[in-house]
Amino acid sequence: MFFQSEVQYQPQLGRLNMQRIFITTIFCLGVLFQSAVTADTAPQSTRWLRDTVTALTPQIEALAAQTRPADWALLRSCLYYALAGQYLLARQGVATRLESGAVMYNPFTPRRHGINPHVWLENRTHFIDCATLPRWGVITVIPQSLVAPHAADVIPGVTRGINVERRRDPEYLAYHDDHRARFADALRRQGPAN
């Protein structure tokens, strides 16, 4: 009798194991497909944008230093780095939007680094962080496909950043508008950029 009941449950266990194997296979294929799609579509535009940003780096750094309030340390001037980057990229035909909130680089790895509060640039295809220049010596350019909107969307080994939080409250946006006006005034006082 014991042997008969054990035999009856074996097909059910086999089906559960097959379902687990199927789900695991689909997940792994999804991770590989995401990596392949990113590898096939992002490099050309990313390379061009990274080259453009690299060429503009000295100008972005100088413009951020010249336009920020005198009492702001460069390391804490992400808003002015973003404004300088946005201005100079627009002159190259690259339209971006200013975003703010909190970000996390290299999530769930030993190299994890969060910045809060923070301001960065985005366009349809890329995440651009000019403020990593004084932190790490380079401007960060990441394809949007490698930036997760939430921690639950992180793909281990693939995701390079998370937009942990986006701030859109009116008071914070008014703060940005005030500094955008200060930035524009500083540009007018300096005259046309080279």
Side-chain angles (χ1 to χ4, degrees), residues 48-49 53 81-91 93-99 120-130 144 180:
W48 177 85
L49 184 58
V53 166
Y81 273 94
L83 290 168
Q86 186 175 43
Y87 172 75
L88 292 168
L89 284 168
R91 293 182 61 196
V94 180
T96 59
R97 68 185 174 280
L98 200 72
E99 293 289 346
W120 63 94
L121 300 173
E122 288 185 14
N123 66 11
R124 188 177 57 77
T125 59
H126 288 85
F127 170 96
I128 306 160
D129 190 352
C130 298
Q144 287 286 10
R180 189 184 304 271

Side-chain angles (χ1 to χ4, degrees), residues 7 10 22 32 53-54 56 65 70 72 96 98 142 145 151 175:
V7 170
Q10 281 182 345
F22 179 75
L32 290 173
V53 166
T54 300
L56 293 173
W72 285 28
T96 59
L98 200 72
I142 304 173
S145 61
Y175 173 80

Side-chain angles (χ1 to χ4, degrees), residues 10-149:
Q10 281 182 345
Q12 290 176 353
L13 288 175
R15 268 183 269 159
L16 285 174
N17 285 337
M18 290 301 291
Q19 287 173 344
R20 288 182 184 139
I21 291 170
F22 179 75
I23 290 170
T24 303
T25 302
I26 294 298
F27 175 77
C28 290
L29 287 173
V31 168
L32 290 173
F33 180 73
Q34 167 95 16
S35 300
V37 166
T38 300
D40 287 343
T41 59
Q44 193 62 18
S45 63
T46 299
R47 188 174 305 118
W48 177 85
L49 184 58
R50 188 172 289 127
D51 289 348
T52 301
V53 166
T54 300
L56 293 173
T57 294
Q59 293 172 317
I60 291 171
E61 192 162 35
L63 191 54
Q66 293 164 1
T67 57
R68 71 180 166 81
D71 60 339
W72 285 28
L74 279 177
L75 190 60
R76 301 287 182 213
S77 298
C78 58
L79 177 55
Y80 282 85
Y81 273 94
L83 290 168
Q86 186 175 43
Y87 172 75
L88 292 168
L89 284 168
R91 293 182 61 196
Q92 298 295 315
V94 180
T96 59
R97 68 185 174 280
L98 200 72
E99 293 289 346
S100 59
V103 297
M104 174 72 62
Y105 286 100
N106 302 306
F108 307 115
T109 71
R111 294 180 29 217
R112 172 183 156 167
H113 182 79
I115 308 171
N116 183 15
H118 196 51
V119 179
W120 63 94
L121 300 173
E122 288 185 14
N123 66 11
R124 188 177 57 77
T125 59
H126 288 85
F127 170 96
I128 306 160
D129 190 352
C130 298
T132 57
L133 186 57
R135 289 175 185 274
W136 301 323
V138 295
I139 294 174
T140 301
V141 177
I142 304 173
Q144 287 286 10
S145 61
L146 301 180
V147 179

